[in-house]
Amino acid sequence: MWIFARRLIIPCMASSFLVLGIESSCDETGVALVRVSEDGGVPQLLAHALHTQMAMHAAYGGVVPELASRDHIRHALPLVRQALAQAQQALPSVDVVAFTRGPGLAGALLVGAGVACALAAALGRPVLGVHHLEGHLLSPFLSADAPEFPFVALLVSGGHTQLMRVGGVGNYELLGESIDDAAGEAFDKSAKLIGLPYPGGPHLAQLAEEGDAVAFNFPRPLLHSGNLDFSFAGLKTAVLTQVQRLGELTETQRADVAASVQEAIIEVLTRKSLAALRHTGCKRLVVAGGVGANRALRERLNATCKAHGVRVHYPELQWCTDNGAMIAMAAALRLQAGVQKATFDYSFEVRPRWPLQEIIEAT
């Protein structure tokens, strides 16, 4: 879907400016305001507002794209007003409007892009489309304990599992990624196989606390592959086979399956992350994305990295799932670093499938 308009690139940004960020890639509508100050430090989060559709989709056992799009329409502008009020800012004070361009659900992305471009056009302000995964990648900069470059990033968000060397904003080297199911998908699909409700990942992690992590010897795919890629499709198949073999599960068996699945995923993520740190020589690890909220994963990474003299950084739990703050922060950091310019082009094309590799090659 296109809206045609005159194209004009902003040559530079003022030393201090305010970014409004809008996230609508899936089942959360997020809006946030971030200020870039004249001192050149980490941009400051002024306000954020979030609406989750989790309860609405739970009745269907997963996200229904059409319902998600309509819900974004209902909540986008009220959330903009809420964030502005929280920051004690008027809409004309916004200097740049940023939005998630992709990847994500096409209809949901179009809502956020449309709202962002309409607001920018009405204000006469420039717009900037942000890659959703870069938002997650840079979300630890929302934390009081922001990392320093360079670092290795373990990005475990929904349908993506990636390891990257991050030398700076826009300076990314892809080290390895999921070649089929990602870690988040393995959590969710395994949860469904043992009868847990949507969203499956958090429910499986909670049940795993009651189970025996060595009760079932599930595979650790690509653990000894010699590279840093991931594959969790085989794990899902192994869980399916085991569940069918057991028949009707007892509560103890369900907990044991959950714990054993989680252990397999955590071992792969931890050992691959450690291999990436060795490969790059980096002494900092950043963990971002929804799976990064998993308590057992954090405990394992903390212990492993401490033993090897590595600092680990996580965004606060509220920044692990999709939110507008990470989009506003990513836009602010890109503008501040000069790796991307905002534009007065109010036409937009969303990218439901948008490999992060494309923005790596473009910078």
Side-chain angles (χ1 to χ4, degrees), residues 7 10 19 26 31 68 118 133-134 155 170 211 221 228 256 277 296 324-325 328 334 337 349:
R7 184 173 183 83
I10 291 185
V19 178
C26 189
V31 175
L133 296 182
E134 187 176 29
L155 182 59
L228 297 174
D256 288 346
L277 289 162
R334 288 183 72 82
E349 179 192 23

Side-chain angles (χ1 to χ4, degrees), residues 62 74-75 90 94 96 107 120 141-142 172 207 249 269 305 313 330 350:
R74 282 191 290 266
H75 289 94
V94 172
V96 180
F141 286 94
L142 293 163
Y172 312 132
L207 182 60
L249 300 177
L269 294 177
C305 289
H313 296 262
V350 297

